[in-house]
């Protein structure tokens, strides 16, 4: 695992966006795996700027988002699709047909997960997967458990994750308790992985990740078996290592 330290969140976002832009320049029709959450917001901001001011084009890029809340349709304000639209897609030249998402409203969830897996495979696999990390070490919505699922699946969110994600919802709204997520195997099939961790609240998870052990009790530890992972962290997240 390669480590890149940055001073703060701003530098981390800049570095992450440059890394992603480098991938697009190298292979304009690349397949990107993308996360939502707070961590990548700065990176998406910089990407939009690179598109608007430096001519970075996403016209040939395909994206595959890691996860989506179960029960939320694309047009739901709190869906991850809507998050991506607001923070990236509507500001760049990506083609609608190249945006791939789980359908959170699919009736047959198993079939939906198959469809998504098949689409990734048919597109030639993910070239670069960008990830955030949960405070408890979750990746996508692969939460700590006795065992992990390798393929895309429906999963229960951990209590801690529901609490952490409450900030994206209005007070009276409930965070959905289930989500569709890529499995750890889906993620590990990516050619390269860039994991972002920022802030004090991720310091414990980063410390755990440094231990050279692999356990489903700490899903991020599975990234240790992948040959091309870069961990990009800021000073606060690196506090305990
Ligand atoms: C989001 C996702 C999650 C987040 C993680 C960190 O699509 O898959 O695993 O990356 O929960 O979230 P933030 O960045 O909000 O701390």
């Amino acid at each position: 695992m390669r480590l890149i330290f940055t001073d703060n969140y701003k530098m981390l976002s800049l570095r992450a966006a440059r890394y992603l832009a480098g991938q697009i320049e190298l292979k304009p029709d690349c397949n990107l795996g993308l996360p939502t959450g707070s961590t990548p917001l700065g990176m998406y901001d910089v990407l939009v700027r690179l598109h608007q001011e430096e001519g970075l084009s996403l016209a040939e890029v395909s994206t595959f988002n890691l996860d989506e809340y179960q029960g939320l349709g694309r047009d739901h304000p709190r869906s991850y699709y809507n998050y991506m639209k607001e923070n990236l897609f509507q500001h760049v030249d990506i083609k609608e047909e190249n945006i791939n998402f789980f359908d959170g409203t699919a009736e047959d969830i198993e079939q939906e997960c198959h469809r998504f897996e098949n689409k990734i495979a048919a597109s030639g696999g993910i070239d670069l997967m960008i990830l955030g990390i949960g405070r408890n070490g979750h990746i996508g919505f692969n939460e700590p458990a006795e065992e992990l699922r390798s393929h895309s699946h429906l999963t229960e969110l951990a209590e801690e994750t529901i609490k952490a994600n409450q900030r994206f919802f209005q007070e009276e709204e409930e965070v959905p308790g289930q989500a569709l997520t890529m499995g750890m195997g889906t993620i590990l099939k990516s050619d390269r992985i860039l994991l972002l961790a920022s802030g004090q609240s991720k310091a414990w998870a980063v410390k755990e990740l440094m231990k050279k052990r692999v356990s489903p009790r700490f899903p991020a530890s599975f990234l240790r078996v992948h040959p091309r992972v870069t961990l990009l962290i800021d000073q606060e997240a690196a506090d305990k290592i």
Side-chain angles (χ1 to χ4, degrees):
M1 184 175 291
R2 191 171 149 236
L3 259 167
I4 302 178
F5 292 99
T6 55
D7 285 347
N8 50 42
Y9 179 66
K10 193 174 169 204
M11 296 309 292
L12 176 136
S13 302
L14 212 63
R15 199 70 194 259
R18 291 270 173 212
Y19 194 98
L20 217 153
Q23 170 67 57
I24 298 172
E25 275 153 27
L26 202 69
K27 187 178 175 197
D29 61 346
C30 62
N31 297 326
L32 300 175
L34 298 177
T36 58
S38 300
T39 314
L41 283 172
M43 174 187 76
Y44 291 142
D45 254 9
V46 179
L47 266 185
V48 170
R49 201 153 39 77
L50 290 179
H51 169 69
Q52 291 171 346
E53 295 170 13
E54 293 184 28
L56 177 74
S57 173
L58 280 79
E60 303 304 321
V61 168
S62 294
T63 59
F64 293 84
N65 263 81
L66 269 168
D67 36 28
E68 178 58 283
Y69 287 118
Q70 206 261 327
L72 301 196
R74 286 189 164 208
D75 46 0
H76 191 286
R78 247 61 69 190
S79 71
Y80 280 165
Y81 180 87
N82 197 55
Y83 164 108
M84 288 303 301
K85 188 173 139 201
E86 285 188 346
N87 293 299
L88 181 68
F89 297 153
Q90 71 181 4
H91 307 290
V92 295
D93 58 347
I94 190 162
K95 295 186 184 114
E96 181 68 36
E97 66 265 30
N98 290 346
I99 296 172
N100 295 282
F101 246 90
F102 286 111
D103 176 1
T105 62
E107 276 183 20
D108 188 335
I109 288 171
E110 210 160 309
Q111 199 187 346
E112 173 58 9
C113 290
H114 276 301
R115 181 196 66 78
F116 198 71
E117 289 278 335
N118 290 341
K119 189 73 195 284
I120 296 175
S123 311
I126 292 173
D127 296 293
L128 174 61
M129 171 73 78
I130 315 276
L131 298 171
I133 184 169
R135 293 161 200 226
N136 61 1
H138 75 212
I139 291 289
F141 279 129
N142 294 279
E143 299 280 16
E146 292 282 309
E147 45 187 39
L148 297 176
R149 304 271 300 273
S150 63
H151 288 72
S152 297
H153 59 281
L154 180 70
T155 183
E156 303 279 329
L157 270 56
E159 207 50 50
E160 197 180 347
T161 305
I162 294 178
K163 269 195 210 129
N165 288 3
Q166 183 65 55
R167 68 193 191 282
F168 293 110
F169 287 73
Q170 310 286 4
E171 260 171 48
E172 67 280 5
E173 276 180 327
E174 295 220 342
V175 182
Q178 294 183 311
L180 285 86
T181 181
M182 289 185 194
M184 279 315 293
T186 324
I187 293 165
L188 290 171
K189 267 190 262 171
S190 311
D191 192 43
R192 286 193 299 151
I193 297 176
L194 178 66
L195 174 62
L196 312 177
S198 166
Q200 194 68 47
S201 67
K202 301 297 169 66
W204 178 82
V206 168
K207 183 174 143 227
E208 283 297 302
L209 191 57
M210 291 301 113
K211 295 182 180 164
K212 295 188 175 82
R213 273 181 247 145
V214 175
S215 161
R217 289 266 155 229
F218 188 74
S221 65
F222 278 78
L223 299 174
R224 297 212 67 103
V225 305
H226 192 285
R228 282 182 298 279
V229 177
T230 300
L231 170 60
L232 178 53
I233 51 178
D234 63 12
Q235 244 177 34
E236 284 187 5
D239 203 35
K240 292 193 194 311
I241 54 171

